[in-house]
Amino acid sequence: MDKILQQFLSIAESGSFSRAAQLLNVTQPTLTFNIRKLEENLGVTLFKRTARGVTLTPYGMTLFENVRVMRRLYDNTIDLIERQRMQTERSISIGTGYTWWVLFLRDWAFEHRRLYPEAPVHVSIGNQLRCMDQLLAGEISMFVGHETPSIAAEFNTRFVPFCRARQGYFVREGHPLLGEPRRREDIQAYPRVSPGSPDQRYERLFLRQPDGEGSPRYRIDGHGFASNSMSACIDYMLHSDGVLRFTTLLADKLVEKGLREVALLPSHTNPLENVGIYATQDADQNPRTAALIDEIRALGLARFDVPDKPNT
């Protein structure tokens, strides 16, 4: 709002040129000069001096009532612009697997919402295939998950690691696989449970390279079970002989849900895999996205303090 009109309001509300000068941190002669100039421009007298200070003339009262409306409109406009700025600069659109949401991204997202209540937060929970599809479509700015070396080279993405994790196998209490160390061949005899979509359209994102179990990665066998709901997968396992291949970092949480980890023979233990952030190659050109990547990577490094450092 215009500086002189702000000074006029301060004088009218305080009833004194000297008090207004103190509140505005300006000299009293400056206020007197500016108000005299305002009165000359309007062609009327705005203040009447009294022994106790100043009061508004009828012309001054008219200006006062309308300038107060102007001030409210101005303040509301500034607030609206600030909210829009926060929505643009502090908004989050990120993908993640169930593991990383539970272990550290959930608390981070909630804290971000507390600090920036006007900034929208969009979190897409899904498997690697779905998150990659959303990243390439521009629906999310990044996602957290395991590194998948078989991602087709023609997709312009980058991977920023922050830790390493091992995949294990989980079953219901009383499952035939429990009780002694097993081979991977023993596990393959049981239905495989996958917390992700088996949609064929996602396979275009990956090279057709077999995983350690002899089938294209993420493809679900005919006798398996797949759902994009982790709760549905757990429900299925609690009532079947299904086997869930999942990161051992979440073992305690899965035990709380009623699952148990299958012991493996040392020669059949799955290798450590890099975990990190996928983003497009041009993510560094967006300062906000680049800062978010650094922030999430730092949180990951602090949260998963494991002796096996990520391969860079």
Side-chain angles (χ1 to χ4, degrees):
M1 195 173 67
D2 181 80
K3 179 180 68 175
I4 294 180
L5 290 179
Q6 289 178 325
Q7 293 174 348
F8 165 79
L9 279 178
S10 184
I11 297 168
E13 290 171 346
S14 65
S16 167
F17 273 74
S18 61
R19 281 197 293 270
Q22 292 175 351
L23 292 172
L24 297 171
N25 197 28
V26 298
T27 64
Q28 185 170 336
T30 297
L31 281 186
T32 301
F33 175 84
N34 288 341
I35 296 302
R36 185 179 297 121
K37 189 173 181 179
L38 177 61
E39 290 175 328
E40 290 174 356
N41 290 337
L42 295 174
V44 296
T45 300
L46 299 174
F47 291 103
K48 180 172 62 177
R49 294 186 177 276
T50 67
R52 295 184 176 180
V54 294
T55 59
L56 291 167
T57 66
Y59 300 115
M61 183 59 70
T62 298
L63 181 63
F64 176 68
E65 292 173 352
N66 284 275
V67 171
R68 281 200 301 179
V69 173
M70 293 168 59
R71 180 171 63 183
R72 284 197 297 271
L73 288 173
Y74 177 80
D75 290 343
N76 290 340
T77 301
I78 294 300
D79 288 343
L80 178 59
I81 291 174
E82 176 62 15
R83 287 197 296 272
Q84 290 175 327
R85 185 186 69 82
M86 290 293 292
Q87 290 174 358
T88 300
E89 296 182 2
R90 293 291 179 179
S91 63
I92 290 177
S93 181
I94 186 173
T96 179
Y98 177 78
T99 299
W100 319 113
W101 171 251
V102 170
L103 291 181
F104 80 110
L105 281 177
R106 176 172 56 189
D107 292 340
W108 171 77
F110 293 167
E111 178 65 10
H112 185 278
R113 184 64 178 173
R114 186 188 69 81
L115 294 174
Y116 310 105
E118 301 296 335
V121 176
H122 169 70
V123 178
S124 178
I125 308 293
N127 69 355
Q128 203 90 335
L129 296 170
R130 183 172 186 269
C131 287
M132 179 58 73
D133 192 53
Q134 291 180 311
L135 176 65
L136 297 178
E139 297 173 7
I140 56 177
S141 59
M142 67 193 75
F143 72 88
V144 178
H146 284 84
E147 182 179 22
T148 306
S150 58
I151 288 180
E154 63 265 26
F155 293 109
N156 192 29
T157 60
R158 58 184 292 230
F159 180 76
V160 182
F162 56 72
C163 79
R164 304 183 77 192
R166 196 184 308 277
Q167 298 284 337
Y169 300 94
F170 296 86
V171 297
R172 63 169 172 80
E173 185 74 54
H175 194 283
L177 287 173
L178 297 176
E180 61 181 85
R182 301 290 179 174
R183 304 172 303 162
R184 279 197 292 268
E185 290 81 357
D186 300 329
I187 294 170
Q188 290 175 19
Y190 292 88
R192 183 169 176 178
V193 177
S194 175
S197 170
D199 292 346
Q200 293 288 326
R201 69 179 183 272
Y202 292 143
E203 289 191 8
R204 66 183 174 81
L205 302 176
F206 292 82
L207 297 173
R208 305 303 180 89
Q209 295 178 352
D211 63 14
E213 298 178 6
S215 61
R217 191 165 190 180
Y218 296 107
R219 181 172 291 173
I220 306 303
D221 295 335
H223 67 290
F225 178 87
S227 173
N228 58 3
S229 167
M230 187 66 175
S231 295
C233 289
I234 292 174
D235 288 341
Y236 176 83
M237 294 177 64
L238 293 175
H239 296 85
S240 74
D241 285 341
V243 178
L244 173 70
R245 186 173 187 261
F246 214 71
T247 174
T248 57
L249 288 176
L250 206 64
D252 290 345
K253 299 291 184 181
L254 295 178
V255 167
E256 292 175 3
K257 300 291 186 180
L259 303 184
R260 298 294 180 266
E261 185 175 356
V262 177
L264 296 173
L265 292 168
S267 60
H268 287 256
T269 300
N270 289 313
L272 287 164
E273 299 176 355
N274 282 339
V275 176
I277 305 159
Y278 271 104
T280 57
Q281 286 288 0
D282 59 359
D284 287 341
Q285 297 178 16
N286 183 321
R288 176 57 184 156
T289 301
L292 275 176
I293 291 173
D294 290 342
E295 183 178 349
I296 294 171
R297 183 174 188 271
L299 284 173
L301 288 169
R303 173 63 178 81
F304 305 106
D305 185 17
V306 295
D308 299 285
K309 299 302 181 183
N311 292 333
T312 56

